[in-house]
Amino acid sequence: MIKEFNNFLTNNVCNMLIGLLESSDKKERFRDTIVLNYRNNRILKRLYNLFNINLLLTPADMQIVKWPTGSFMNEHYDTGDQYGVLIYLNDNFEGGETIIDKKKIKPKKGCGVLFTNGKLLHSVCKIKKGTRYVLPVWYK
C-alpha cells in the first residue's frame, strides 16, 4: 500500500520544524543524516484521522531528519515495522526522491506518503544539491 497526501503541513509548520532541528543541541548523527527525536501529538492525531488506521495511534518512532548534499539510502525493508509515513518539510533541493516499490515520489513541501514499509522496498535517491528535510514516523 502506498498513499500519497497533499498539503498536510503548512509552510510555517514545516519551517518551524526545520528550525527546531537546526537550533537543537539534542540532534544526533545517523549514517550521513542528522536526526532529532521528536513527537507531536497533533500531527499524529491528524495522521490517524486522515488514514483511520488504529496502529497510527501509537508510533514506534518520530523524528525530524536532515539529509545533506550527497546523502542517500539504499533500497531496504524496515523489518518489524508495519507502516511508515514521510512528510516532506522542504522541496528546494535537487535529487532526494523517495522510491517505494519502484514508484518515484518527488518531495513536495508539506506533503507526504504513507506506505507499508515492512513489505515494500524503498530507498532515497542521492541529494544532488541542497538539503532535504523530512519528518518520518514509523509504526510497529
Side-chain angles (χ1 to χ4, degrees):
M1 171 192 57
I2 302 171
K3 293 185 179 183
E4 294 181 64
F5 51 98
N6 293 314
N7 304 315
F8 185 77
L9 297 178
T10 66
N11 282 336
N12 287 342
V13 171
C14 290
N15 294 339
M16 182 273 301
L17 292 171
I18 291 170
L20 189 65
L21 176 136
E22 291 296 349
S23 65
S24 176
D25 58 355
K26 295 182 181 182
K27 56 192 169 205
E28 302 172 7
R29 183 168 292 282
F30 179 72
R31 296 186 187 133
D32 56 354
T33 64
I34 305 297
V35 176
L36 176 64
N37 289 319
Y38 176 77
R39 186 175 181 98
N40 182 306
N41 288 328
R42 288 172 63 187
I43 291 173
L44 294 173
K45 185 174 181 176
R46 286 193 63 213
L47 287 169
Y48 172 75
N49 289 335
L50 181 63
F51 297 111
N52 196 25
I53 298 172
N54 279 338
L55 287 173
L56 297 183
L57 288 175
T58 54
D61 211 356
M62 184 176 188
Q63 302 172 325
I64 305 168
V65 182
K66 176 180 180 177
W67 296 71
T69 300
S71 59
F72 65 95
M73 184 162 294
N74 290 324
E75 198 172 52
H76 66 285
Y77 296 103
D78 290 323
T79 55
D81 290 349
Q82 293 192 37
Y83 296 99
V85 176
L86 300 175
I87 304 169
Y88 302 105
L89 302 179
N90 71 322
D91 54 19
N92 58 341
F93 55 90
E94 293 178 23
E97 298 88 357
T98 304
I99 299 176
I100 303 169
D101 198 31
K102 300 182 182 173
K103 178 180 182 180
K104 188 180 275 193
I105 299 167
K106 183 169 174 47
K108 185 176 177 192
K109 187 175 187 176
C111 301
V113 62
L114 165 77
F115 63 104
T116 48
N117 63 335
K119 296 181 180 179
L120 298 177
L121 278 172
H122 54 283
S123 61
V124 177
C125 297
K126 185 175 184 178
I127 289 81
K128 297 174 187 173
K129 183 178 180 183
T131 303
R132 174 188 192 253
Y133 293 90
V134 67
L135 180 74
V137 186
W138 295 276
Y139 298 89
K140 296 254 181 229

